[in-house]
Amino acid sequence: MLGMTGQTAEHLRRLREAPVRGLIVRLAVPTIASMLITAFYNVVDAWFVGMLDTQSVAAVGIAFPAMAVIQAVGFFFGHGSGNTMARMMGARDRHGARRMAAVGVVCSALCGCLIAAGGVVCLRPLALAMGSTETILPYAEDYLEVTLLGAPAMCAALTLNNQLRFQGMAALAMAGIVSGAVLNCVLDPLFIFGLGWGVRGAAAATVASQAVSLGVLWHLNRRHGVVPVRLRAFAPTRAALGEVVRGGAPSLFRQGLACLATAALNHAAGAYGDAAIAAMSIVTRIAMFLGAALVGFGQGFQPVCAFAYGARQWRRVYEGFAFLSGAGGVFLAAVAAIGWVWAPEVVGAFRADDPAVRAIGGSALRWQLATLVLSAWIVPCNMMMQAIRKPVRASVLAASRQGLFFIPAVALLPCFWGLTGVQVSQSVADVLAALLALPLTVPTLRALRQDRPA
């Protein structure tokens, strides 16, 4: 048996035998809470920055691609090692799971150091490449410089958080995330206004909060994790790194393309002024908040999915997918209907004294809400393929929305429809990604439903 204690053995028994719906809900509640809280403090961050000026709000949007790269590394190593750990737990390979835990965290922190060094050296060209205008550039450089210095802690914290989730210890992962999120909400006004650091203070609050999250996650993992990280188990063999690549590549594609997609969005919006960049930055954060519950729900599904697949419980994987997609669709449809009515007011809450930001953002948000429910199909497809180690199909699904469809859409549609083309690009990408997921996922679902390997 993998675990050496009665508590661990009982935990693994629940993963193997508990009713799927109840198990997913139990694991999802903490992850939904942590995702919502994380998304909320991103929104709060934008709200506090919005009290400064339009250029500061736009600077946060310009820096978003850099944050996406940091997240891509954290999710790559977290999902890559975590997926493998869950399957090894299902197959009762304790030694292998320990090795993967150490490889994931250490390699993630090292990559974060490389991001920090390279980004700070190339700060100005990096800001321009991500879509900054000359008027936004000083603010973007201030925000970016501090954010990049925190990359090692951010990468390691995201990796450790995801490893805990894949162990089925979602409550511990939530505790680490919530501690940083709450601290961020306290530090934002202190650093931005109390110390007079402006937009640089917003970045400093985020970095400090992530460092605290890492410390809390490390402590909880060492004391209560099923597979605690032991640095002496660090052995970056070709086989171990190959498992990380196969399990984490879809996340790397998804988050990496989010970087390129946001840069493309910034460039497209920049043609219509700083207000357009600021408006699209606000809409991006609102959309992330609205989708956070579904992503958290899916993160409760993934450890169940990976563990069941490793234990050869094929039908159990299908049942979990059907539950996630159905419940997620009902929830997103309700959220979209409510958000549609109040879209201009929601955007205006961030920059009430700039009517251009409100008008542009309100229209863009309504377009995005029109296809929000499709995420209840797109996201579960990607998460399932990643968890059952179908790296090619998972990577295509991960790349489809942002890379295959959104980037071309945001480059081409403004040529015909102007600013409306920028605003509608996200919805076009949603529709095309949902259609692509049908042939890539339906055959797998049929096999799983018949209780046979996909």
Side-chain angles (χ1 to χ4, degrees), residues 26 47-48 190 206 338 388 441:
R26 185 176 64 82
W47 184 70
F48 280 120
L190 175 62
T206 298
I338 296 171
I388 66 175
T441 307

Side-chain angles (χ1 to χ4, degrees), residues 19-50:
V20 171
R21 293 189 178 190
L23 181 60
I24 291 176
V25 169
R26 185 176 64 82
L27 294 177
V29 168
T31 59
I32 291 172
S34 62
M35 288 299 300
L36 286 174
I37 291 169
T38 300
F40 177 73
Y41 89 69
N42 282 330
V43 170
V44 169
D45 190 60
W47 184 70
F48 280 120
V49 172

Side-chain angles (χ1 to χ4, degrees), residues 89 140 186 265:
M89 289 164 61
V186 174
L265 177 62

Side-chain angles (χ1 to χ4, degrees), residues 67-80:
M67 292 293 292
V69 169
I70 294 170
Q71 290 173 351
V73 171
F75 282 121
F76 171 69
F77 286 104
H79 286 169

Side-chain angles (χ1 to χ4, degrees), residues 85 94 97-99 101-102 160 163-164 167 218 220-231 233:
M85 288 165 62
R94 185 183 182 209
R98 282 181 171 175
R99 182 179 66 250
L160 198 50
Q163 286 185 355
L164 283 168
Q167 294 175 46
W218 183 267
L220 293 174
N221 175 263
R222 292 296 297 266
R223 288 191 59 117
H224 305 292
V226 176
V227 186
V229 176
R230 307 291 183 190
L231 296 181

